[in-house]
Amino acid sequence: MNNSFFSPSRFARLAAYDLKTKYKTYLIAVVAAFVGFTIINYLFLDADEAEIVSRTLNHLTYSHSLASFTVCLTAFFVCAGFSFPALSSKKSAMGYILLPASTFEKYLLEFLIKIVIAFGVFLLVYYLAANLSASIAEPIFNNRNADFLELKHARIDLQPFTFRFVYKNTYITTVQSGSAYVDTIDKVSVMGTFFVGSILLFLFNIRLFFKRFSLIKTVIAGFFVYYLFFQLMSLLGIAFTGDKNTAYDFKFFYPYYDYLFIFTIITLIVLGYYKLKEKRL
Amino acid sequence: MLEIQNLYFSYKRKQPLFEDFSLSLPDGCIVGLLGKNGAGKTTLLNIVSGLLPPQAGKIAVNGFTPFERKPAFLADVSLIAEEFSLPQVSIAAYTSALQPLYPKFDGAKLDKILAEFELSRANRLHKLSHGQRKKFLIAFALASNCRLLILDEPTNGLDIPSKSQFRKILVSSITDEQTVLISTHQVRDIENIIDSIAVLDNGRAVFADTLENLSRRFRFELADTLPTNALYAEKSIGGQRVILPNDADSEETEIDLELFFNFITNKTYE
């Protein structure tokens, strides 16, 4: 039967069920994220106060901290690790598995909510929180440094946060950190996006891959995967170039990383779907 | 309707729970699934509902293979487990969210059963007792009009009046097309509502038949002395409860399910 796999109307009903029964959890998560991100952003601005004053005096613009964005993005990743919450216990798993919808519909809904929509909401919440914390910090910093700024006839004016800062900072940080073969910002963006996406998908599927102690198992599995990955790249680097000095220099494979991460993402999606399909109590 | 053939199932590093297990249940019956602790009643219900896959053998429910978990199958099967989890919303919110997924759901029937259980749509699920939540689940399952209702220890957690309400509501709510599979230790809670029994023992269905046939084949009596043709007997206040073969012309007696269960599980039935 065709609609055993996907039916738009059934999918809509499943989505409505999810939203009606979990809207409070989602709202709490958004509010908690907004408050948390505002605090984190403020703390990073506070730590950068001296630099902000210095840049103001030198007529330079202060770019918001990439570190605060990274911390908040990490929090988003951790939240992705709590996808498929119903599978955390036998009691709730039973109800979830027996919901009258196809496995594909259940997987797709979770993917849309926890990855696609959640990422959009994350960006929006982060944007609002970063600007709120900047508008809170600005008068505080002006007040704290009033005497000093008055002497120089200056005033701290924090520029509104934009994602261009994050983009630009990522590029500058990557290039400055010594990744000599990172030649264009586009390359960094594309590869970085796929790399981040593969980690996100792995976290998204945690509860499907591991029944118990999922976090510990994920850390151990992640460690071994990355260890094996780097060892393999090193060995292949030597094998292809014949130069032992190329060990751990991944320049040779650099053009293929995009494909590797895309392959990882697709594999994780397919694997996650089949793990859910075969999920047993 | 429910057809199990040569089922084999074993948990990891444990003795097989089912070996060459077969069972067939027609439409429109209420079946009591009886068995000792660890006999595999709950596991069987999980296999029938699609929560666990059989390791060998065939199983068909309403023409579907349960573990394929096709939406049409899931919409026609309702399982009430002994332990369950419900979201922290009102009955009204939960019902309005879930009922669209059950095409045969009857809202009026739900309201009627809820009223009989002294519940209302305004009740918040997380503020109800375990017994009340179970009553709501029973009401929802009955209102969903699924062809197969699976109830695992449905009377556990229910008070005495609720047990009697449950029996009354179950009998009056199901239709001839529906099959109800009830697993329980509380034989007395269901003996007046079931029309068939299936007894699990040592990985097999050691007995599966209608109560009508059971009554035709056996007599249940309270005797002062042990009759010579007694198939099974247990000492009781006022004499001995005995099971006797029923002769063709003998009058049928009231079935003592507890005694019959002990008979079946203590002796290989032939």
Side-chain angles (χ1 to χ4, degrees):
Chain A
M1 215 164 69
N2 193 26
N3 72 355
S4 284
F5 187 70
F6 183 76
S7 148
S9 58
R10 194 174 51 230
F11 180 72
R13 289 195 290 268
L14 182 69
Y17 167 77
D18 189 88
L19 290 175
K20 281 179 182 176
T21 53
K22 292 184 195 155
Y23 72 95
K24 274 188 189 167
T25 311
Y26 295 148
L27 278 177
I28 290 168
V30 170
V31 171
F34 181 70
V35 172
F37 291 173
T38 306
I39 293 169
I40 289 168
N41 267 293
Y42 180 81
L43 292 176
F44 274 96
L45 284 172
D46 198 45
D48 283 349
E49 188 180 357
E51 192 195 329
I52 291 167
V53 172
S54 154
R55 292 183 80 84
T56 300
L57 296 176
N58 290 304
H59 307 288
L60 294 168
T61 309
Y62 171 77
S63 298
H64 286 250
S65 167
L66 178 64
S68 73
F69 181 75
T70 310
V71 168
C72 294
L73 188 66
T74 307
F76 169 72
F77 272 53
V78 171
C79 287
F82 291 100
S83 299
F84 299 100
L87 300 180
S88 61
S89 80
K90 260 192 175 185
K91 284 193 280 184
S92 51
M94 197 180 287
Y96 179 70
I97 293 170
L98 295 181
L99 268 178
S102 71
T103 306
F104 178 74
E105 287 157 356
K106 289 174 189 172
Y107 192 78
L108 178 66
L109 180 67
E110 196 70 6
F111 181 83
L112 286 178
I113 290 177
K114 298 290 166 58
I115 302 289
V116 180
I117 296 173
F119 189 65
V121 171
F122 162 76
L123 292 179
L124 177 68
V125 168
Y126 186 83
Y127 176 82
L128 295 173
N131 282 310
L132 177 66
S133 56
S135 60
I136 292 170
E138 198 179 88
I140 294 172
F141 291 173
N142 273 311
N143 197 31
R144 271 193 210 155
N145 302 282
D147 297 342
F148 185 60
L149 290 167
E150 204 177 349
L151 277 174
K152 305 280 179 184
H153 303 290
R155 183 179 161 74
I156 293 170
D157 181 21
L158 282 173
Q159 293 293 302
F161 167 82
T162 65
F163 284 105
R164 213 162 61 86
F165 288 138
V166 176
Y167 188 67
K168 211 167 73 181
N169 281 354
T170 308
Y171 176 59
I172 292 164
T173 309
T174 311
V175 172
Q176 284 178 349
S177 68
S179 307
Y181 38 84
V182 177
D183 42 13
T184 66
I185 191 161
D186 290 339
K187 193 72 187 168
V188 174
S189 311
V190 173
M191 193 185 79
T193 305
F194 289 139
F195 174 68
V196 166
S198 65
I199 294 175
L200 190 61
L201 258 296
F202 182 61
L203 290 165
F204 173 69
N205 284 322
I206 279 179
R207 283 207 173 114
L208 298 171
F209 295 154
F210 305 116
K211 233 177 182 177
R212 289 181 196 169
F213 310 116
S214 51
L215 189 63
I216 296 169
K217 286 176 180 172
T218 304
V219 171
I220 295 170
F223 174 78
F224 275 104
V225 165
Y226 280 97
Y227 177 76
L228 289 173
F229 174 76
F230 283 113
Q231 286 299 332
L232 183 70
M233 289 296 116
S234 171
L235 286 171
L236 289 175
I238 295 168
F240 277 96
T241 62
D243 181 4
K244 286 188 179 177
N245 293 325
T246 60
Y248 300 105
D249 181 355
F250 310 121
K251 197 173 179 176
F252 185 78
F253 295 99
Y254 183 70
Y256 308 107
Y257 278 178
D258 292 354
Y259 304 110
L260 180 74
F261 293 136
I262 291 169
F263 174 75
T264 308
I265 289 171
I266 293 169
T267 305
L268 286 169
I269 288 174
V270 174
L271 205 61
Y273 167 74
Y274 278 101
K275 288 295 281 183
L276 181 61
K277 192 171 169 56
E278 297 297 312
K279 193 80 188 170
R280 53 193 70 186
L281 205 63
Chain B
M1 145 113 236
L2 170 61
E3 193 73 41
I4 302 172
Q5 286 176 358
N6 313 111
L7 172 72
Y8 178 92
F9 185 87
S10 166
Y11 286 109
K12 274 181 192 169
R13 298 182 210 98
K14 286 191 177 171
Q15 289 278 321
L17 206 49
F18 300 112
E19 281 182 291
D20 202 26
F21 177 94
S22 297
L23 181 69
S24 179
L25 299 176
D27 276 329
C29 60
I30 304 179
V31 186
L33 185 64
L34 311 176
K36 293 176 182 172
N37 289 332
K41 297 188 294 298
T42 300
T43 301
L44 183 65
L45 298 188
N46 288 341
I47 293 170
V48 169
S49 60
L51 291 167
L52 287 171
Q55 284 146 359
K58 282 186 179 173
I59 175 159
V61 178
N62 299 334
F64 290 98
T65 302
F67 197 67
E68 287 177 0
R69 296 175 191 155
K70 292 197 170 163
F73 164 77
L74 296 172
D76 225 3
V77 172
S78 204
L79 167 72
I80 298 175
E82 195 178 0
E83 297 287 323
F84 49 83
S85 163
L86 287 167
Q88 296 195 355
V89 293
S90 68
I91 287 180
Y94 183 75
T95 305
S96 82
L98 194 57
Q99 78 169 67
L101 290 164
Y102 291 92
K104 292 187 276 182
F105 191 86
D106 182 345
K109 190 173 177 181
L110 177 74
D111 288 331
K112 185 171 167 276
I113 301 171
L114 285 178
E116 288 185 58
F117 275 140
E118 294 170 5
L119 292 169
S120 87
R121 285 185 183 241
N123 292 135
R124 299 192 72 78
L125 287 167
H126 56 286
K127 290 188 176 168
L128 298 176
S129 69
H130 179 76
Q132 286 174 310
R133 277 185 285 158
K134 191 164 227 173
K135 283 195 268 188
F136 163 67
L137 279 180
I138 291 168
F140 190 92
L142 289 168
S144 69
N145 289 316
C146 292
R147 274 179 71 191
L148 178 62
L149 284 180
I150 303 170
L151 312 175
D152 192 4
E153 303 288 352
T155 54
N156 270 8
L158 298 190
D159 55 27
I160 295 167
S162 299
K163 284 181 181 183
S164 135
Q165 270 177 332
F166 160 72
R167 286 190 290 264
K168 201 176 78 182
I169 290 167
L170 181 69
V171 171
S172 62
S173 301
I174 62 157
T175 61
D176 290 344
E177 292 80 42
Q178 289 178 288
T179 297
V180 186
L181 189 54
I182 307 174
S183 155
T184 187
H185 291 108
Q186 320 286 333
V187 177
R188 291 196 192 284
D189 286 346
I190 59 160
E191 63 186 354
N192 293 327
I193 56 169
I194 56 173
D195 46 34
S196 301
I197 59 164
V199 182
L200 303 187
D201 197 32
N202 293 322
R204 285 167 193 271
V206 287
F207 183 89
D209 208 343
T210 62
L211 293 190
E212 199 180 340
N213 284 342
L214 181 65
S215 185
R216 270 194 214 126
R217 292 159 69 181
F218 301 101
R219 291 178 60 76
F220 298 83
E221 290 180 0
L222 184 67
D224 294 333
T225 54
L226 187 65
T228 51
N229 61 340
L231 297 168
Y232 184 76
E234 275 181 13
K235 280 186 183 169
S236 171
I237 300 165
Q240 302 207 44
R241 289 151 69 201
V242 294
I243 299 176
L244 304 164
N246 199 3
D247 300 330
D249 53 350
S250 301
E251 204 175 287
E252 289 177 12
T253 57
E254 196 179 324
I255 296 167
D256 184 338
L257 264 188
E258 202 171 272
L259 189 68
F260 184 72
F261 174 77
N262 290 339
F263 165 52
I264 290 293
T265 53
N266 287 316
K267 183 189 170 188
T268 307
Y269 178 70
E270 288 166 7

